[in-house]
Amino acid sequence: NIDTKYYEIDGLKIEWGKPLNEVRTMLENIEKFKPFGGWPNIRCKCLGVFGLPANEFEVRAPFEDRPVLQVQYEIAPIKSGFFEKLHTPYLKQLVKVLGKPVKSESLYSQTHLKKDFLSSAVVFSAKWIFNDIRISLSVYGGTRNNDSGLCAAGIFIDWIDEIKASKPYRGKT
């Protein structure tokens, strides 16, 4: 079972509830990538998560001085076995670590989309819930070429108790 008090980047445990600016300090010695738009975020090199090979780790928060609410890992391609669907090697490994997902959805029927859009389409998704933590797997229909390397799936970890996350900041402006 997983420890829901923390999320990890290559063995470095970071407690849920830490504001992004504190996490930024903890990650200062790790190779960075250009942040995405939207919420403030930090993207950096990552070797793996839950026994899967990763290229990238990203944390996001609504503001620099607010707790991180989402962690994302970009997962490197894994060759599926003969007659296996694209998602099978990722799901097999996650089931070993996290157990059976509470929900999974096959979206392969969407592959009627143009071949050019396959890498942006999600062909399979699965979700696990542990206390205040939701873990989601999205397997892409093709390989995405990010600045961190080739990515074939994403793992998203959300801290879903936003009330607990925002408690120390309520009343502040």
Side-chain angles (χ1 to χ4, degrees):
N1 213 338
I2 68 158
D3 188 342
T4 56
K5 289 187 200 80
Y6 303 93
Y7 53 92
E8 274 189 53
I9 172 169
D10 296 338
L12 172 66
K13 290 183 178 206
I14 302 171
E15 208 172 333
W16 285 107
K18 275 201 185 306
L20 188 64
N21 51 16
E22 281 183 35
V23 174
R24 191 177 297 282
T25 305
M26 294 175 79
L27 300 175
E28 66 189 4
N29 297 324
I30 300 172
E31 183 188 338
K32 304 285 182 305
F33 303 108
K34 191 175 184 281
F36 288 127
W39 276 13
N41 61 85
I42 306 163
R43 292 174 61 217
C44 50
K45 193 95 189 115
C46 176
L47 298 175
V49 63
F50 302 134
L52 291 169
N55 294 326
E56 181 180 323
F57 165 87
E58 180 192 349
V59 287
R60 15 181 92 242
F63 301 97
E64 280 290 327
D65 63 347
R66 297 294 197 269
V68 166
L69 295 179
Q70 188 181 61
V71 177
Q72 177 179 343
Y73 302 85
E74 285 293 332
I75 307 301
I78 302 175
K79 197 159 175 46
S80 38
F82 204 52
F83 291 123
E84 267 187 341
K85 291 213 172 225
L86 284 173
H87 73 272
T88 306
Y90 304 97
L91 186 62
K92 267 186 193 166
Q93 177 57 29
L94 289 177
V95 166
K96 276 187 211 165
V97 178
L98 304 173
K100 198 170 166 355
V102 291
K103 182 181 181 214
S104 63
E105 192 176 8
S106 177
L107 304 160
Y108 284 95
S109 60
Q110 292 182 354
T111 51
H112 63 274
L113 301 166
K114 289 192 173 76
K115 285 270 183 237
D116 309 345
F117 297 110
L118 276 181
S119 65
S120 58
V122 170
V123 295
F124 181 86
S125 71
K127 278 185 179 33
W128 292 261
I129 306 275
F130 300 95
N131 302 327
D132 298 340
I133 304 300
R134 178 179 54 230
I135 300 174
S136 314
L137 165 70
S138 292
V139 178
Y140 313 140
T143 306
R144 296 179 181 179
N145 193 356
N146 292 353
D147 48 359
S148 61
L150 296 176
C151 303
I155 292 178
F156 305 84
I157 304 179
D158 295 283
W159 193 29
I160 48 183
D161 191 345
E162 290 185 23
I163 291 167
K164 191 188 287 178
S166 67
K167 200 178 237 160
Y169 303 96
R170 271 196 239 126
K172 283 186 178 180
T173 48

